[in-house]
Amino acid sequence: MTHRVAIVGAGPSGFYAADGLLRGRPDLRIDVIDRLPTPFGLVRAGVAPDHQGTKAVVRQFDRLLTQPDLRFAGNIEIGRDLSWDEVIQSYDAVIVATGMVVDRKLGIPGEDLPHVWGSWRFVAWLNGHPDFRTGPDLSGVKSVAVIGNGNVALDVARLLAKTPDEMTKSDIVAEAGAAIAAAPIADIHVIGRRGAGEASFTTNELAEMGRLARAVSVADASVLAAEAPASDPTPERLRKAKNIETLKRYAAQTPGEKPVTVHFRFHETPKAIRPGEVELSTGTLVADLVVTCIGYTGEPFPQAENVFPVGWARRGPSGTIPTNRADSHAVAKQVIDFLEDRDLKSGPDIMPLCVDAEGWHRIDKAEVAAGAAQGRPRVKFVDWQALLDIAQGD
Ligand code: NAP
């Protein structure tokens, strides 16, 4: 007999927490629970499908699934299959790694119009999340407004700007890839409410916007000229200085030089959205599609002595995937300290029938095989029932 820990959420912060627990207490029994039949959360559903290098982190997580005392429990929804109370009562400790999967709202008129999409919903569609089977109608979309100046805004702009050739090595779902390829997109406006110096783009991701086959990135040189040079070289200031340098290079390019122009715009706050346009603090912009990339919120979860939030559920939607490693290891250490000298909770295994690691590996194998036939990393199954059937070996 040993302590049992439930990790609710099989995304990066959950797996890094499992890793931290097993390093400190290899004897623990750990259940990693997810409402989807597939593990890896944000990596599978939120990381841009053309960033396969970032997605490769799942190999580390998949290795954990082979540990004898770590069980994957997919297709288990807390609130439907088990209650939070049952989980909290039955496990010695519960790590909440549910992330943040609800798009934040701008809070302006017109936000609920059908051509306005939150980035979570939009990227989940591209990534084949089974709850997001339908995307926006792109058939008449010439001009796109991407609201926000973070890396998610860059992901959205880049994915809309790339050619099918640039996406061949991605795992974008075929329907979404075809819709983007067929769309008459000519202008993508990436809109920040503050200045270029305040944008949270990271250096490599912003530079990638300068290497797109069919898109030219541009910016307004006069807006960039007002940005003060970095005086004190902290890593954060260096990042900002590099961003300004990159944007100045973009400012020297000509709009329309390639079929798609990505316009980096600053000091423009959205005030209202109407069909076909966005009203900004600086004037009206034509936009057939609006994608808000302004961060996420999460679902509430109960507080209790043995409940430990981790990752975005703990600290909000910031930081890259590797940022979660140290954070999750620190929370795992707190859990290990908490369990020290605690009596074991006795009681039966409450886990209902679930998709286990073997079931996931059947899905994985089938997706990778379907991808190999097309020279792609994988072709995702996007239908709930199909995923469950494959997991069961049907
Ligand atoms: P983010 O970096 O926090 O950017 C959110 C953006 O939304 C900011 O520019 C913010 O502006 C803007 N915003 C918020 N509320 C707004 C409003 N009401 N009106 C207009 N603009 C508003 O978040 P993110 O892009 O969602 O990314 C989340 C995390 O994932 C980040 O840590 C990011 O680096 C990471 N990520 C990494 C990668 C990668 O490494 N390739 C890819 C995607 C995401 P203000 O600054 O003015 O608040």
Side-chain angles (χ1 to χ4, degrees):
M1 288 286 280
T2 184
H3 288 117
R4 293 185 304 173
V5 180
I7 299 178
V8 182
S13 65
F15 273 101
Y16 281 132
D19 180 53
L21 289 175
L22 289 172
R23 282 166 193 263
R25 280 278 310 266
D27 63 306
L28 286 176
R29 283 191 49 203
I30 301 171
D31 283 349
V32 183
I33 301 169
D34 206 287
R35 62 178 287 275
L36 289 177
T38 52
F40 312 140
L42 184 79
V43 184
R44 185 172 161 101
V47 170
D50 61 334
H51 275 183
Q52 290 295 315
T54 308
K55 289 193 185 236
V57 69
V58 300
R59 289 193 206 120
Q60 294 175 36
F61 303 152
D62 219 16
R63 275 198 290 277
L64 289 171
L65 289 178
T66 61
Q67 298 284 322
D69 287 327
L70 185 143
R71 177 167 67 167
F72 175 58
N75 194 35
I76 297 294
E77 184 171 338
I78 310 295
R80 179 191 67 185
D81 306 300
L82 289 173
S83 69
W84 276 111
D85 268 359
E86 282 174 290
V87 176
I88 291 167
Q89 300 302 329
S90 306
Y91 288 85
D92 297 288
V94 179
I95 293 182
V96 178
T98 45
M100 294 213 150
V101 295
V102 180
D103 284 301
R104 276 187 57 205
K105 296 290 236 177
L106 282 165
I108 62 173
E111 192 167 11
D112 295 322
L113 285 166
H115 69 302
V116 185
W117 281 67
S119 58
W120 172 254
R121 211 158 54 107
F122 184 74
V123 177
W125 169 59
L126 304 180
N127 263 323
H129 189 300
D131 287 342
F132 301 90
R133 302 279 304 278
T134 312
D137 176 6
L138 299 179
S139 59
V141 172
K142 292 185 182 152
S143 177
V144 184
V146 178
I147 315 273
N149 264 186
N151 281 341
V152 171
L154 294 181
D155 281 348
V156 168
R158 186 184 70 252
L159 291 164
L160 287 169
K162 274 192 167 180
T163 61
D165 269 2
E166 289 173 300
M167 294 299 287
T168 45
K169 299 286 178 218
S170 80
D171 61 354
I172 192 169
V173 293
E175 195 186 307
I180 293 174
I185 298 170
D187 294 287
I188 301 171
H189 302 268
V190 179
I191 301 164
R193 62 179 170 179
R194 296 194 288 157
E198 278 84 41
S200 53
F201 308 138
T202 48
T203 312
N204 291 344
E205 280 64 25
L206 184 60
E208 202 180 346
M209 297 302 293
R211 298 191 296 268
L212 301 177
R214 70 161 178 172
V216 59
S217 288
V218 303
D220 180 342
S222 65
V223 171
L224 299 172
E227 293 291 341
S231 48
D232 146 26
T234 62
E236 186 53 10
R237 281 178 192 236
L238 282 173
R239 179 187 66 77
K240 287 179 179 182
K242 280 187 184 160
N243 279 355
I244 304 287
E245 236 173 74
T246 305
L247 287 161
K248 283 185 174 165
R249 278 206 315 278
Y250 295 166
Q253 311 207 84
T254 314
E257 223 169 57
K258 292 184 181 178
V260 178
T261 303
V262 180
H263 308 257
F264 283 92
R265 306 169 64 124
F266 302 100
H267 299 294
E268 301 194 68
T269 304
K271 298 288 182 194
I273 304 176
R274 291 181 287 272
E277 59 185 39
V278 181
E279 191 186 316
L280 298 167
S281 49
T282 48
T284 302
L285 176 73
V286 171
D288 312 301
L289 170 71
V290 179
V291 187
T292 60
C293 307
I294 60 165
Y296 311 104
T297 60
E299 304 284 1
F301 53 85
Q303 312 285 317
E305 178 197 37
N306 64 338
V307 169
F308 298 83
V310 71
W312 281 13
R314 186 174 81 79
R315 50 168 223 280
S318 68
T320 58
I321 286 166
T323 319
N324 282 297
R325 189 170 183 273
D327 183 61
S328 291
H329 280 186
V331 172
K333 168 87 173 58
Q334 282 173 28
V335 173
I336 290 169
D337 292 346
F338 168 81
L339 292 174
E340 203 181 348
D341 301 329
R342 291 242 155 194
D343 291 342
L344 300 177
K345 281 190 179 172
S346 56
D349 182 4
I350 60 162
M351 191 57 66
L353 192 63
C354 59
V355 173
D356 58 10
E358 207 179 312
W360 151 243
H361 285 133
R362 283 198 196 100
I363 297 173
D364 186 38
K365 211 168 146 196
E367 288 186 343
V368 171
Q374 299 178 19
R376 302 178 57 206
R378 68 176 60 236
V379 171
K380 283 176 178 162
F381 296 101
V382 298
D383 178 71
W384 270 97
Q385 196 52 52
L387 286 162
L388 295 176
D389 290 347
I390 297 164
Q392 280 157 18
D394 294 346

